[in-house]
Amino acid sequence: MPVDTKLYDILGVSPNASDSELKKAYRKLAKEYHPDKNPNAGDKFKEISFAYEILSNKEKRGIYDRYGQKGLQEGAREGGFGEDIFSHIFGGGLFGGGGRRRARRGEDTIHPLKVTLEDLYNGKDTKLQMTKNVICAQCNGNGGKSGKVQTCSDCNGRGIKVTLRQLGPGLVQQLQTTCPECHGEGETIKEKDRCPKCKGKKVIKETKILEVHIDRGMRHEQKITFHGEGDQTPGLEAGDVIIILQQKEHEIFQRHGDDLVMEHKVKLCEALCGFKLVVKHLDGRQLLITHPPGQIIEPGCVRGVVGEGMPHQKRAFDKGNLFIKFTIEFPKDHEISGNNLKTLESLLPPRSKLPKLSQDHEEVDLVEIDPQSSSNYYGHEDSDDEHERGGPGVQCATN
């Protein structure tokens, strides 16, 4: 025998009713109380629909038979079957438990924290001041004097009002709105009975200092969680405060995983003859990087320094690599004199030999041209209309 028979009573069937008997009873009642035929029976129609939704589902019916409304409430909270809008029609819990139904845990508070790449390389401890809601100690979160808190008569403690709107024959829209009388609280307190400290709000504002520890090697958008430090609400477990690290852009380095990347421009002489480079690292150290003569730096090439990248968060003494992408600064036009050019040419590999020229070859000059000034650059072509018209400035010959 089921521990609770209220759903069966709503449909007018016995607890041993078969699926076909349930469907037959539901169709009969739904036809009788449907808003199209009986506009004033909206609440009754909701009860019938909800009862059939539970009892027509084998799993939900089994939970209801064994545990009653409490089993359904726990099943919905744990995600066994989602919270349905019809669960609100019975006042708070399923079938009227006094007070509106809520989630068991409050929302998390998300707070972005700006950090530098130096902070993520070296680690840092910082303090963060936050204001949050805490339960009023004077009224213990009741909002007023004991026994003076009343269930809202407009929404029966649900905090919401459900209305049906007929869109057409056989078509009904269900609307859910916050109760205007209790502002979604499900309870009302007379002005004279409200707590003088929280003014009936049940919570007060409190400032708290959180000490945030940033480990070496942490990353952009990594989260640091403070469990239970979120806003407090009566009847709910406090949510968490989640700090999300937001790395500022660095003027020299870019981070790729545990590696660091930077760009550096060298003169042509350095690219050919070697150079020394001083890099100030994120911890203040100066790295003297030497590139020996004879090893040519080509435009766009990348060289690396092993072990000078970012530290690994869980193994702080293990580091990625530092990569340097090189660009080359060439001399300006006519900066090198003619004699020096000849000397330079004698030191460099010889020029490429020209192929044999035909007698009718043409000699042209190579000059600077803005590529975007050319009409056919990047595939730009004259429109079809211009081709059809013979192009601008072209006239057809006439006899």
Side-chain angles (χ1 to χ4, degrees):
M1 184 71 180
V3 298
D4 192 334
T5 63
K6 186 168 184 176
L7 290 182
Y8 295 100
D9 296 339
I10 291 174
L11 295 179
V13 297
S14 70
N16 297 323
S18 64
D19 291 344
S20 60
E21 290 173 332
L22 286 172
K23 183 181 294 186
K24 183 178 180 180
Y26 167 70
R27 287 179 174 176
K28 179 181 178 182
L29 292 172
K31 185 176 181 181
E32 179 181 353
Y33 291 101
H34 195 282
D36 284 349
K37 286 190 173 183
N38 198 339
N40 297 323
D43 289 343
K44 181 66 175 178
F45 180 71
K46 297 172 194 174
E47 290 183 5
I48 295 167
S49 300
F50 179 78
Y52 181 68
E53 179 189 348
I54 296 299
L55 297 181
S56 63
N57 183 288
K58 185 177 180 180
E59 180 183 356
K60 297 178 184 179
R61 183 178 181 178
I63 294 174
Y64 177 68
D65 287 346
R66 289 194 299 273
Y67 306 109
Q69 70 167 13
K70 184 177 180 181
L72 289 175
Q73 289 173 324
E74 292 301 320
R77 288 171 183 167
E78 296 297 331
F81 50 91
E83 178 182 3
D84 193 280
I85 186 66
F86 290 108
S87 65
H88 295 288
I89 68 178
F90 298 99
L94 303 163
F95 325 108
R100 65 179 177 135
R101 181 173 170 180
R102 297 176 179 174
R104 294 184 298 173
R105 188 175 182 276
E107 293 184 358
D108 295 332
T109 301
I110 308 297
H111 185 86
L113 179 63
K114 296 286 187 181
V115 293
T116 64
L117 190 56
E118 285 84 355
D119 295 335
L120 300 179
Y121 183 90
N122 298 298
K124 183 179 180 180
D125 290 319
T126 186
K127 293 184 178 181
L128 181 64
Q129 178 176 303
M130 299 192 67
T131 301
K132 68 175 186 177
N133 292 332
V134 297
I135 294 176
C136 177
Q138 186 164 330
C139 65
N140 293 321
N142 293 319
K145 298 178 182 178
S146 178
K148 298 297 182 179
V149 180
Q150 303 293 325
T151 299
C152 178
S153 58
D154 273 28
C155 65
N156 295 324
R158 298 187 297 271
I160 60 169
K161 300 189 75 173
V162 179
T163 57
L164 295 176
R165 176 187 175 190
Q166 188 167 349
L167 301 178
L171 185 61
V172 178
Q173 181 183 30
Q174 188 170 253
L175 302 176
Q176 177 178 317
T177 57
T178 301
C179 176
E181 182 66 24
C182 65
H183 305 291
E185 290 295 324
E187 299 171 340
T188 58
I189 311 172
K190 293 182 179 179
E191 186 72 31
K192 63 183 182 68
D193 296 325
R194 293 179 181 176
C195 171
K197 187 172 183 179
C198 67
K199 310 299 181 184
K201 295 181 179 179
K202 303 180 183 180
V203 294
I204 59 174
K205 296 290 184 181
E206 180 180 273
T207 299
K208 175 143 189 185
I209 305 296
L210 296 179
E211 295 188 359
V212 183
H213 176 69
I214 301 172
D215 290 329
R216 297 183 65 198
M218 295 189 84
R219 299 171 182 265
H220 174 63
E221 293 191 344
Q222 188 165 345
K223 298 177 180 179
I224 302 174
T225 302
F226 292 84
H227 297 286
E229 291 291 350
D231 288 329
Q232 297 178 7
T233 303
L236 298 180
E237 177 186 349
D240 301 333
V241 172
I242 301 177
I243 308 298
I244 301 181
L245 301 180
Q246 299 287 329
Q247 180 199 315
K248 301 176 185 177
E249 186 176 348
H250 198 272
E251 60 181 4
I252 297 177
F253 299 107
Q254 291 183 346
R255 181 177 184 177
H256 295 274
D258 288 337
D259 296 326
L260 290 174
V261 179
M262 62 173 288
E263 294 184 357
H264 182 68
K265 180 184 291 186
V266 295
K267 297 183 181 298
L268 179 59
C269 174
E270 295 174 311
L272 298 175
C273 305
F275 60 88
K276 291 182 182 294
L277 168 64
V278 177
V279 175
K280 184 178 180 181
H281 215 309
L282 296 169
D283 57 0
R285 289 179 299 132
Q286 286 186 322
L287 303 181
L288 177 59
I289 301 173
T290 302
H291 189 71
Q295 294 185 11
I296 307 301
I297 295 291
E298 300 174 350
C301 75
V302 177
R303 299 289 185 267
V305 181
V306 177
E308 288 297 344
M310 293 292 294
H312 191 281
Q313 183 183 353
K314 296 182 179 179
R315 304 184 304 275
F317 293 101
D318 292 342
K319 296 181 182 179
N321 301 320
L322 169 63
F323 292 97
I324 305 175
K325 183 177 181 180
F326 289 95
T327 57
I328 298 176
E329 180 181 348
F330 286 85
K332 297 179 181 179
D333 291 347
H334 310 297
E335 183 177 350
I336 303 177
S337 65
N339 291 333
N340 288 335
L341 283 175
K342 292 180 179 179
T343 303
L344 179 60
E345 183 174 359
S346 67
L347 299 174
L348 296 175
R351 300 173 186 265
S352 299
K353 292 184 178 181
L354 290 176
K356 185 177 180 180
L357 297 174
S358 63
Q359 292 183 352
D360 58 349
H361 74 273
E362 296 183 19
E363 188 170 345
V364 296
D365 293 328
L366 189 66
V367 298
E368 290 187 5
I369 301 178
D370 181 5
Q372 296 184 1
S373 66
S374 176
S375 60
N376 291 327
Y377 185 67
Y378 289 140
H380 177 274
E381 296 181 358
D382 294 336
S383 66
D384 292 338
D385 291 341
E386 288 181 345
H387 285 294
E388 292 174 1
R389 295 193 304 266
V394 177
Q395 296 181 351
C396 296
T398 58
N399 293 327

